[in-house]
Amino acid sequence: FLVDAGHRAVIFDRFRGVQDAVVGEGTHFLIPWVQKPIIFDCRSRPRNIPVITGSKDLQNVNITLRILFRPVTAQLPRIFTSIGEDYDERVLPSITTEILKSVVARFDAGELITQRELVSRQVSEDLTERAATFGLILDDVSLTHLTFGKEFTEAVEMKQVAQQEAERARFIVEKAEQQKKAAVISAEGDSKAAELIANSLATAGDGLIELRKLEAAEDIAYQLSRSRNITYLPSGQSVL
């Protein structure tokens, strides 16, 4: 019989039962009818296991765990005798569900999001230790999917919206306060300017006002002299 690359074989003897020796890759001989080879794939294989559990604050959590697993080569006879060829179907779903429920129950919903790396590491350590008792090696354990119930998701969205509205209201209040301060400062400036002008007029008389009138009249006359629509008529004479 032939054992492909990455595979191992366990020999079942009709008279002596499962042999302790594990047959490696290549071509081997057996006794017809008396012996039978059982081929195991010893390469790492992926498996996705979805689990629904609860967090510390009693929120429903949907988690999908991706596992890369392979059997311990030296323990293949024991695995075949105690579990069977479909060892992954019998062992992985049960221990994965148990470990996930145990680890997730230690964290609340917020911590599952902010401390996802810690949760993943804790699940990996506990699950690796538990799988080793069944003769399985876990090359990688990762959380590929983590979502919460509809009610919790809606509550988080409403909280975000409320926080944004509160920030917007705070900005409007601060803007109004700044505008109020600006108006007060402007009014105080106008009042001070008026007070200074009044004091100057009281001290120096109306000379400044007369000077400003002359300057304004000079500017108006200059602008009118440049306009083509203005005609000057001499006074006291009839113009026909």
Side-chain angles (χ1 to χ4, degrees):
F1 65 98
L2 176 65
V3 179
D4 293 331
H7 293 67
R8 297 293 185 273
V10 174
I11 302 299
F12 172 74
D13 191 291
R14 292 181 182 273
F15 299 104
R16 294 179 296 174
V18 178
Q19 303 298 304
D20 293 333
V22 177
V23 181
E25 303 169 357
T27 302
H28 307 274
F29 298 95
L30 53 76
I31 303 174
W33 188 81
V34 176
Q35 294 179 334
K36 173 186 176 183
I38 295 92
I39 309 297
F40 285 89
D41 187 355
C42 294
R43 297 170 297 183
S44 292
R45 290 180 291 162
R47 184 181 180 91
N48 293 330
I49 302 177
V51 177
I52 299 177
T53 182
S55 62
K56 186 178 180 180
D57 53 353
L58 304 179
Q59 297 294 335
N60 289 330
V61 186
N62 300 318
I63 299 180
T64 300
L65 197 66
R66 182 175 177 84
I67 303 173
L68 284 177
F69 69 95
R70 56 187 172 91
V72 179
T73 303
Q75 298 188 29
L76 285 177
R78 183 178 70 86
I79 293 175
F80 177 67
T81 302
S82 59
I83 303 176
E85 294 183 67
D86 56 343
Y87 59 89
D88 56 329
E89 292 288 345
R90 298 189 180 190
V91 172
L92 290 179
S94 59
I95 65 173
T96 300
T97 301
E98 179 184 356
I99 295 299
L100 274 177
K101 288 181 178 292
S102 174
V103 174
V104 172
R106 307 172 194 170
F107 302 88
D108 56 33
E111 292 173 343
L112 290 175
I113 298 176
T114 59
Q115 303 181 22
R116 181 166 179 165
E117 182 179 356
L118 175 61
V119 176
S120 179
R121 184 170 64 252
Q122 190 65 52
V123 170
S124 177
E125 292 175 356
D126 294 352
L127 191 58
T128 300
E129 181 180 357
R130 185 65 185 280
T133 61
F134 294 94
L136 300 180
I137 299 174
L138 304 184
D139 294 323
D140 183 67
V141 178
S142 58
L143 297 176
T144 59
H145 181 74
L146 193 153
T147 57
F148 299 93
K150 181 180 179 182
E151 294 79 6
F152 179 78
T153 304
E154 292 177 351
V156 171
E157 293 177 353
M158 293 176 62
K159 180 180 178 180
Q160 294 294 330
V161 172
Q163 290 178 346
Q164 293 177 1
E165 292 294 337
E167 289 293 329
R168 186 179 296 110
R170 185 172 64 84
F171 171 76
I172 293 175
V173 171
E174 291 180 353
K175 182 179 179 181
E177 290 291 336
Q178 294 299 326
Q179 291 177 344
K180 178 181 177 181
K181 291 180 180 179
V184 170
I185 294 173
S186 177
E188 291 177 350
D190 294 341
S191 175
K192 187 65 176 179
E195 181 182 355
L196 292 175
I197 292 173
N199 292 336
S200 298
L201 292 176
T203 303
D206 297 338
L208 179 62
I209 296 177
E210 296 296 331
L211 177 61
R212 292 290 183 265
K213 287 181 179 180
L214 293 175
E215 291 176 350
E218 182 181 0
D219 183 66
I220 293 172
Y222 175 74
Q223 296 296 334
L224 292 177
S225 65
R226 299 180 59 187
S227 175
R228 297 181 179 180
N229 297 324
I230 301 299
T231 301
Y232 294 93
L233 300 177
S235 61
Q237 298 180 13
S238 61
V239 179
L240 294 178

